[in-house]
């Protein structure tokens, strides 16, 4: 998607601080961190949101969680813990319509809701 900011981050058109990448996923630090560690993990394939995923995307989305596990360990968050979040549409506050898994950690997080 040529007008998607996360596609532009993945292809290097927009700079980012990358923390992990492989053939399916790319991860980088959030520009407006909500916690001491705030990383976005995105599929290289453009998918608008969880609403738009298909059965064929199951492995792609599952892969994001496996990447998150590795990044959490790399960032020293595994033992104390961390939160993984995917916002979908307006009520969840989704602002970028390219699926992304938020990885948040580095402090005690408050309850959700
Ligand atoms: P959402 O609100 O859609 O779940 O999350 C979008 C996230 O992308 C926000 O946390 C926002 O700070 C982050 N973000 C938006 N634009 C950019 C950007 O150009 N670079 C980086 N690194 N993060 C961005
Ligand atoms: Zn995209």
């Amino acid at each position: 998607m040529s007008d998607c900011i996360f596609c532009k981050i993945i292809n290097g058109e927009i700079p980012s601080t990358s923390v992990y990448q492989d053939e399916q996923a790319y991860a980088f630090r959030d520009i407006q961190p909500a916690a001491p560690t705030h990383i976005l993990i995105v599929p290289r394939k453009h998918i608008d949101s969880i609403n738009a995923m298909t059965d064929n995307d199951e492995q792609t989305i599952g892969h994001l969680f496996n990447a998150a596990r590795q990044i959490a360990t790399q960032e020293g968050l595994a033992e104390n813990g961390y939160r993984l979040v995917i916002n979908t549409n307006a009520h969840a506050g989704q602002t970028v319509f390219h699926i992304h898994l938020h990885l948040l950690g580095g402090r005690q997080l408050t309850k959700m809701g």
Side-chain angles (χ1 to χ4, degrees):
M1 288 268 281
S2 55
D3 60 346
C4 168
I5 59 170
F6 286 178
C7 283
K8 286 181 178 167
I9 283 175
I10 292 163
N11 72 25
E13 260 183 84
I14 295 176
S16 65
T17 306
S18 172
V19 296
Y20 173 94
Q21 49 186 310
D22 62 31
E23 70 291 343
Q24 287 186 73
Y26 184 82
F28 54 99
R29 297 197 189 278
D30 197 292
I31 206 166
Q32 239 183 328
T37 302
H38 187 171
I39 290 162
L40 302 173
I41 306 151
V42 304
R44 290 187 185 275
K45 177 187 176 187
H46 180 97
I47 306 167
D48 279 0
S49 76
I50 291 292
N51 281 341
M53 80 177 272
T54 67
D55 291 352
N56 289 337
D57 295 322
E58 219 174 79
Q59 193 278 336
T60 302
I61 302 307
H63 186 82
L64 301 180
F65 286 84
N66 198 33
R69 174 186 60 79
Q70 294 174 66
I71 296 163
T73 299
Q74 181 182 301
E75 294 284 320
L77 300 174
E79 190 178 337
N80 282 335
Y82 53 92
R83 183 172 292 160
L84 298 174
V85 175
I86 297 179
N87 294 319
T88 303
N89 276 358
H91 276 186
Q94 184 179 5
T95 57
V96 178
F97 286 81
H98 178 131
I99 286 179
H100 48 284
L101 181 60
H102 292 260
L103 188 164
L104 298 150
R107 66 166 165 82
Q108 182 65 53
L109 298 168
T110 55
K111 291 288 177 194
M112 294 185 288

